[in-house]
Amino acid sequence: MKAIICKKFGPPESLELLEIEDIHPRDEEVKIAIEACGVNFPDTLIIENKYQFKPKLPFSPGGEITGEIIEVGKKVKKFKIGDKVMAMTLYGGFAENIILKEEGLIKRPNKMNCITAAGFTMTYGTSMHALTQKGNLKKNEIILILGAGGGVGLAAVQISKAIGAKVIAAASSKKKLDVAKEAGADYVINYSQEDLRQKLKEITGEKGVDVVFDPVGGELLEKALRSTAWNGRVLIIGFTSGIIPKVSLNLPLLKGCSIVGVFWGAFRLKETKLDNKNFSKLFAWYENGKINPYIYKSFPLQDASMALNLIKKRKAIGKIVLKT
């Protein structure tokens, strides 16, 4: 089978498309013919040995896939050959086939095509976990979403609106903010041209925001933290800016707010049943037209380096997908 292989840690250009040995499932595993794979910011980190999970070389990147089961192990009970599934993989998704344990699989909704499914699992799984289990976002609360033009940011905009919150979307360009508005944002802030704190004061008065959703990091975190309401929740999703910020701990003390880490990958592994409930709700919203991934571009498997560079340079709006 063909796969994009990382032989040595480095930039996307160092990846190779290779023919590798075919694989077969063990008793509790299934073999999936991958139809499409989402491309995400963690993929740019894992190939440079900068991510929390560190696979041994050589390996194939790719953290979320969708496809059809083509082989099952002897002890597999819930799935059968021919089932269309989605899954978080951590790595291994930039390939034609993959072996996964059945317990981590999610059955793909009948009306969801492979491109949509490939752009759904990680971004919507992350945002749903962040906003419900970690952020406890409620109807009519005000949420600030940083990096609102990215895949996880746009997912957070849609989920927040489905919950009934008021959404302030912040991003670095008009194009990204236009898409965030289409996704349902009530207010938008271009933080490359406008002062974030001043704009938040204009929008919320002196109240501040109830929840901050931050996948960006850098200098924006402290500005957002200073703009939280009493009992606010600041959700740390990631650091697409490349800068892990340091903040003065007197700020959460004075604000009476919480700074909460969000690591959906670990949550999916440790609390799979609860995460499956999250996906049941997400699929219901998808069926009702309340949420839907914004697919920026899809590429063939051999163009994985190009796709990763768009993510790395923060040029993508919404999701990028590889098709096999």
Side-chain angles (χ1 to χ4, degrees):
M1 70 171 190
K2 289 184 174 65
I4 296 293
I5 298 297
C6 177
K7 287 184 174 180
K8 59 181 180 179
F9 294 116
E13 291 79 10
S14 64
L15 299 174
E16 299 179 49
L17 178 64
L18 299 175
E19 187 76 32
I20 63 172
E21 187 177 347
D22 203 6
I23 47 180
H24 299 282
R26 291 178 289 190
D27 285 354
E28 296 177 349
E29 298 174 332
V30 304
K31 181 178 180 178
I32 300 166
I34 298 172
E35 296 173 331
C37 181
V39 184
N40 297 283
F41 183 68
D43 298 323
T44 70
L45 299 177
I46 204 168
I47 62 174
E48 296 187 11
N49 201 28
K50 296 178 180 177
Y51 195 53
Q52 293 96 323
F53 291 105
K54 299 182 183 296
K56 293 180 181 179
L57 294 169
F59 70 93
S60 177
E64 61 176 340
I65 62 97
T66 186
E68 181 177 328
I69 295 176
I70 57 174
E71 194 175 341
V72 298
K74 295 178 182 178
K75 295 183 180 180
V76 172
K77 298 178 181 178
K78 297 179 182 178
F79 295 90
K80 64 184 184 302
I81 291 173
D83 283 348
K84 300 283 189 177
V85 294
M86 305 156 60
M88 179 194 76
T89 61
L90 299 179
Y91 59 92
F94 290 4
E96 291 181 327
N97 299 319
I98 194 169
I99 301 294
L100 295 173
K101 290 184 177 181
E102 72 162 333
E103 63 189 24
L105 302 181
I106 303 168
K107 192 162 185 181
R108 192 166 98 198
N110 293 330
K111 294 181 180 179
M112 187 179 286
N113 63 42
C114 68
I115 297 295
T116 299
F120 197 97
T121 310
M122 188 172 289
T123 49
Y124 285 86
T126 297
S127 296
M128 187 68 166
H129 171 50
L131 297 174
T132 53
Q133 281 83 34
K134 296 293 186 176
N136 194 27
L137 181 66
K138 301 180 182 68
K139 185 177 180 180
N140 293 324
E141 286 193 315
I142 302 173
I143 180 170
L144 167 65
I145 299 173
L146 301 173
V152 73
L154 285 172
V157 170
Q158 293 179 352
I159 292 169
S160 296
K161 290 307 296 180
I163 291 171
K166 290 182 172 61
V167 175
I168 304 171
S172 59
S173 73
K174 183 179 183 300
K175 283 185 178 180
K176 292 178 179 180
L177 290 172
D178 286 344
V179 175
K181 253 189 170 178
E182 289 177 16
D186 299 286
Y187 307 93
V188 295
I189 300 173
N190 186 334
Y191 49 64
S192 68
Q193 298 178 357
E194 301 172 294
D195 182 270
L196 182 66
R197 286 203 70 204
Q198 184 58 41
K199 289 297 295 184
L200 289 173
K201 284 182 180 179
E202 291 173 12
I203 293 169
T204 69
E206 296 300 319
K207 181 182 183 298
V209 298
D210 299 294
V211 176
V212 174
F213 182 97
D214 182 15
V216 180
E219 64 178 12
L220 292 175
L221 175 63
E222 183 169 330
K223 293 181 180 180
L225 180 57
R226 290 180 181 274
S227 301
T228 54
W230 181 254
N231 285 331
R233 290 85 74 198
V234 180
L235 307 177
I236 308 301
I237 315 298
F239 312 102
T240 58
S241 66
I243 301 170
I244 299 175
K246 296 178 181 179
V247 297
S248 299
L249 289 180
N250 67 314
L251 292 175
L253 185 153
L254 294 171
K255 291 283 184 178
C257 70
S258 304
I259 300 175
V260 186
V262 179
F263 188 4
W264 173 72
F267 171 72
R268 175 72 191 164
L269 292 173
K270 295 175 183 293
E271 301 185 58
T272 305
K273 288 183 179 179
L274 181 55
D275 195 49
N276 285 341
K277 288 183 179 180
N278 283 354
F279 275 97
S280 294
K281 184 69 174 178
L282 288 168
F283 290 152
W285 282 337
Y286 173 78
E287 294 284 345
N288 293 332
K290 291 185 176 182
I291 63 174
N292 193 29
Y294 180 89
I295 306 298
Y296 180 60
K297 285 185 179 180
S298 64
F299 293 91
L301 186 63
Q302 62 264 29
D303 290 338
S305 295
M306 190 184 304
L308 285 165
N309 272 321
L310 283 175
I311 297 287
K312 188 174 181 179
K313 296 174 182 177
R314 300 179 66 188
K315 291 184 177 180
I317 301 173
K319 288 290 296 192
I320 292 179
V321 171
L322 293 181
K323 281 194 71 176
T324 57

